[in-house]
Amino acid sequence: MSVADVLSVMPLILTGVGALLVLLLGPFLQRGLVYCLAVAAGTAAGVWGALYPASYTPAIPGISFSPLARYLVPIFCIAGVLTLLYSHGYNDRHRIEGEEYPATVLFGLFAMCVLPCATNLLTLFLALESIAFAFYILVAIDLNRAESGEAGLKYLLFGAVAAAFTAFGISLIFAGSGSLELSAALDFRNRAIMSAGWGMILIGIAFKLSLVPGHLWTPDVYQGAPAPVAGFLSTGSKVAAAAFLLLLLGVAAPARELHVPLFALSLLSMVLGNLAALRQNNIKRMLAYSSIAHMGYLTLALLTGTRDGYAAVLLYGAIYTAMNLAAFGAIAALSGDEERARMEEYSGVGYSAPFRAGVLALAMIALAGIPPTAGFMGKFFIFYSAVKGGEIALAIIGIISAAISAYFYLRVVVHLYMRPAETTPPQPASPAESAALFLSAAAIVVIGVFPNALLHYLGTVLR
Amino acid sequence: METIVFYILAAVTLVGTVLAITARQGVHAIVYLVTSFFALALIFYLLGAPMVASFEVIIYAGAIMVLFLFVIMMLDLGKPEKIQTPKLYDWCPAILLLVVITGSMGVLASRAATPLNAFAGISVQEFSFTLFKRYGAAIEIISMQLLFALVGALYLGRRR
């Protein structure tokens, strides 16, 4: 292992060592300093990941800093750092103490950075499981609220079943191909066993991506988890699960057996997710059903199996991260001792907290897919690649369901600006929260207006 | 000879696991599971992996099961569980699983079996070389995962 190898896996070292340092130094440092240390480790890893040249040769057996990793590691790091910035003030108000919180966020970030670097099935599975482990802890971390513990338990039970399915699928692929390399997943000589393995993996990933019918945990977990954690869960872990599928598919068209299950998962998620979100009055439950629908769009692009489709998946991953972090960040920043749960509690907030409400409204407009926000660009490329890839029926259903979804997103905007205030105005936001909100809002607008730079880079990611 | 021993061990493993699942008393379930682990360890030995066999006995049957036993004793869960007789509805997952298993057995049995290469014994050196060189990264990730599982358990254990 040479110096160059160590340098190329530096993002993993920075986040991993950062997590351990936070854990060790936590008891001796002030709370603010601990969060600063965690933010610094995450930022350093992200900057390093964005600047260091990628290569396909493994640095350590099982790990290589591939172009895909170079694209995804900065996105995960941005998500992790923004989560930490949102959490500091939020955890203060909600009395979530201890260095365990920032350390676990960094550990989750470490696992997310490992996932796109994986070159064999074992590392890939362990990374996916480590991400889930971090979130089992983070979802249940609010000891003062019973719902948080309940959400953690639900996530643990569903996650354990999903992990069992994924592990069984990977072991069937190993049995069918005799190898743990990533390319083994495409070796369809033992068709029966390989199809069974892929089926098991799809069931596991459907749970992770919360695709219908594996979506039942999502609303409860989002509702119970602290808002910054729900934001990180809905972005980092979802993009990581999508990357898991992308790595297994190896930028090739999915095998013909996978077409029907992926088609059904995508169709059901888009339709049921959007229809169920219409009836929600709790903003976090609404965002949960909306994330189910968005993962349906993502699956639609995966289903096409074309280069355009995979580029659309990766672009949407980045855009979805910005949109959802802005939404959950605004919810976190607007919370007092308790979170504002019902839509009515957001009435009139647009005038008492114009900046935070503005970011929330922007996030909703982006999620609805209205130009010039990034949400429009993401949806445009997904449906474009779907039509070009021959999935015209599914694309039309997707566009119709996306049009329906505008209702519940814009309902939040209506409450923010066109209803008289019902609750006391929120406390002023901390500088960290304002900075994080500004960054996510800027990302939504910049990617929406200038998507070319990102698209150009994506062309080099997918060989 | 080996084939006969294998089938006996496989039967013991299966029966032990089924009894472990159906046992009403936690302690009984653990004893059945330990039996099944011992049989499984011998199967590993037959496959030419004495290291894995000894780990199976030391770690699974030894450490983990003793830990389970301690937890059951500490929390005083020794009394048999009272459960109602399962309703027709409760059998649905079991029936579904039965269909899946029969289906997969059918698929696997319908094809001619290709015998595997005979297993040569694997030395401790080869085993540890593969484990810590080829899958060294995996070991590191698992260590981090276990550490944070511990941290999380300690933190969440403070909940009243």
Side-chain angles (χ1 to χ4, degrees):
Chain A
M1 195 168 151
S2 67
V3 178
D5 293 340
V6 176
L7 291 181
S8 75
V9 294
M10 200 48 120
L12 314 187
I13 298 175
L14 281 169
T15 47
V17 172
L20 297 180
L21 268 184
V22 166
L23 213 51
L24 286 175
L25 297 179
F28 308 107
L29 294 178
Q30 274 188 335
R31 212 167 145 272
L33 269 178
V34 173
Y35 277 79
C36 277
L37 183 65
V39 167
T43 317
V47 171
W48 191 286
L51 297 180
Y52 199 79
S55 83
Y56 281 105
T57 42
I60 321 169
I63 302 271
S64 82
F65 191 62
S66 60
L68 181 70
R70 191 172 168 231
Y71 174 76
L72 286 174
V73 163
I75 294 176
F76 290 139
C77 288
I78 290 170
V81 167
L82 288 182
T83 306
L84 284 167
L85 291 176
Y86 289 135
S87 314
H88 182 244
Y90 180 93
N91 289 355
D92 242 0
R93 294 193 293 274
H94 292 249
R95 295 182 306 285
I96 300 174
E97 283 147 6
E99 67 284 356
E100 285 90 348
Y101 182 94
T104 313
V105 170
L106 269 186
F107 165 62
L109 185 56
F110 162 78
M112 285 173 198
C113 292
V114 171
L115 192 129
C117 297
T119 60
N120 65 40
L121 293 169
L122 187 64
T123 322
L124 196 62
F125 174 72
L126 285 174
L128 193 71
E129 261 329 279
S130 298
I131 297 171
F133 254 75
F135 281 111
Y136 296 153
I137 302 165
L138 285 174
V139 167
I141 204 139
D142 192 347
L143 299 181
N144 306 310
R145 281 190 309 131
E147 308 93 81
S148 174
E150 188 194 321
L153 187 62
K154 273 181 186 159
Y155 189 49
L156 175 69
L157 293 177
F158 272 100
V161 174
F165 272 111
T166 318
F168 191 35
I170 287 176
S171 61
L172 282 177
I173 283 181
F174 178 65
S177 64
S179 163
L180 272 179
E181 294 305 305
L182 278 185
S183 51
L186 299 172
D187 176 11
F188 267 84
R189 273 174 301 177
N190 279 321
R191 200 133 200 136
I193 297 181
M194 293 301 283
S195 312
W198 265 100
M200 291 287 176
I201 287 180
L202 272 192
I203 294 173
I205 290 297
F207 274 104
K208 296 266 175 219
L209 278 177
S210 63
L211 296 169
V212 177
H215 67 293
L216 289 169
W217 58 272
T218 325
D220 293 344
V221 169
Y222 280 31
Q223 191 185 6
V229 171
F232 196 31
L233 174 68
S234 71
T235 56
S237 86
K238 297 285 171 69
V239 176
F244 182 93
L245 265 188
L246 261 183
L247 276 168
L248 278 189
L249 288 170
V251 202
R256 58 173 192 273
E257 286 92 340
L258 298 178
H259 189 266
V260 173
L262 280 174
F263 188 94
L265 286 173
S266 168
L267 174 73
L268 289 173
S269 306
M270 289 192 298
V271 173
L272 284 179
N274 279 323
L275 289 182
L278 285 175
R279 299 200 37 91
Q280 301 304 320
N281 196 37
N282 181 309
I283 192 162
K284 276 159 93 187
R285 287 186 84 85
M286 183 275 274
L287 282 171
Y289 282 110
S290 115
S291 92
I292 294 168
H294 281 270
M295 290 305 123
Y297 305 142
L298 210 79
T299 316
L300 167 59
L302 264 180
L303 174 64
T304 60
T306 56
R307 243 178 86 106
D308 284 338
Y310 291 134
V313 168
L314 289 173
L315 181 73
Y316 206 67
I319 292 172
Y320 186 70
T321 304
M323 296 191 296
N324 250 25
L325 278 174
F328 279 103
I331 292 172
L334 283 169
S335 70
D337 292 345
E338 283 190 15
E339 284 178 17
R340 291 162 194 267
R342 290 175 302 119
M343 296 277 185
E344 290 80 38
E345 291 173 52
Y346 287 86
S347 303
V349 173
Y351 301 101
S352 51
F355 175 63
R356 284 168 283 174
V359 174
L360 184 57
L362 178 71
M364 290 300 143
I365 289 170
L367 283 167
I370 296 170
T373 56
F376 169 74
M377 275 299 154
K379 281 209 180 71
F380 175 78
F381 279 107
I382 290 222
F383 293 130
Y384 167 77
S385 67
V387 170
K388 215 175 149 198
E391 297 296 337
I392 296 170
L394 209 50
I396 292 172
I397 295 170
I399 292 169
I400 293 172
S401 69
I404 293 172
S405 75
Y407 168 75
F408 54 81
Y409 292 125
L410 295 181
R411 216 177 121 209
V412 178
V413 182
V414 167
H415 271 285
L416 283 173
Y417 292 104
M418 297 177 192
R419 295 277 157 84
E422 280 182 19
T423 49
T424 48
Q427 303 285 313
S430 72
E433 283 168 339
S434 302
L437 282 174
F438 175 77
L439 282 177
S440 21
I444 294 176
V445 176
V446 170
I447 301 176
V449 181
F450 306 106
N452 279 351
L454 212 54
L455 277 175
H456 180 73
Y457 182 64
L458 276 174
T460 59
V461 168
L462 302 164
R463 271 182 299 182
Chain B
M1 172 65 189
E2 271 180 18
T3 328
I4 300 168
V5 175
F6 170 77
Y7 278 113
I8 294 171
L9 289 171
V12 172
T13 314
L14 280 179
V15 171
T17 314
V18 167
L19 286 175
I21 295 168
T22 49
R24 288 285 171 89
Q25 235 170 349
V27 181
H28 289 183
I30 285 177
V31 174
Y32 285 129
L33 204 54
V34 168
T35 319
S36 127
F37 279 154
F38 269 104
L40 202 60
L42 283 174
I43 292 179
F44 278 127
Y45 186 79
L46 282 186
L47 286 171
M51 273 293 286
V52 183
S54 57
F55 281 163
E56 182 81 23
V57 172
I58 296 168
I59 297 172
Y60 279 94
I64 294 179
M65 281 301 126
V66 170
L67 202 68
F68 275 19
L69 210 59
F70 278 162
V71 171
I72 287 179
M73 279 155 67
M74 254 168 63
L75 299 178
D76 198 18
L77 300 174
K79 296 161 200 81
E81 229 180 314
K82 282 205 188 74
I83 39 169
Q84 296 123 4
T85 39
K87 296 193 186 68
L88 197 63
Y89 176 79
D90 300 326
W91 285 99
C92 286
I95 292 166
L96 184 69
L97 186 67
L98 197 71
V99 172
V100 170
I101 290 177
T102 342
S104 8
M105 293 292 255
V107 169
L108 290 179
S110 65
R111 301 144 63 83
T114 40
L116 288 166
N117 301 333
F119 274 98
I122 300 165
S123 71
V124 179
Q125 200 181 6
E126 283 169 291
F127 179 81
S128 42
F129 189 80
T130 317
L131 188 63
F132 290 104
K133 268 286 220 262
R134 203 158 144 213
Y135 296 115
I139 300 276
E140 295 300 325
I141 300 168
I142 290 184
S143 331
M144 285 286 281
Q145 196 175 341
L146 287 178
L147 174 69
F148 274 87
L150 197 66
V151 169
L154 282 176
Y155 182 87
L156 298 178
R158 284 188 228 154
R159 187 185 287 275
R160 262 172 220 110

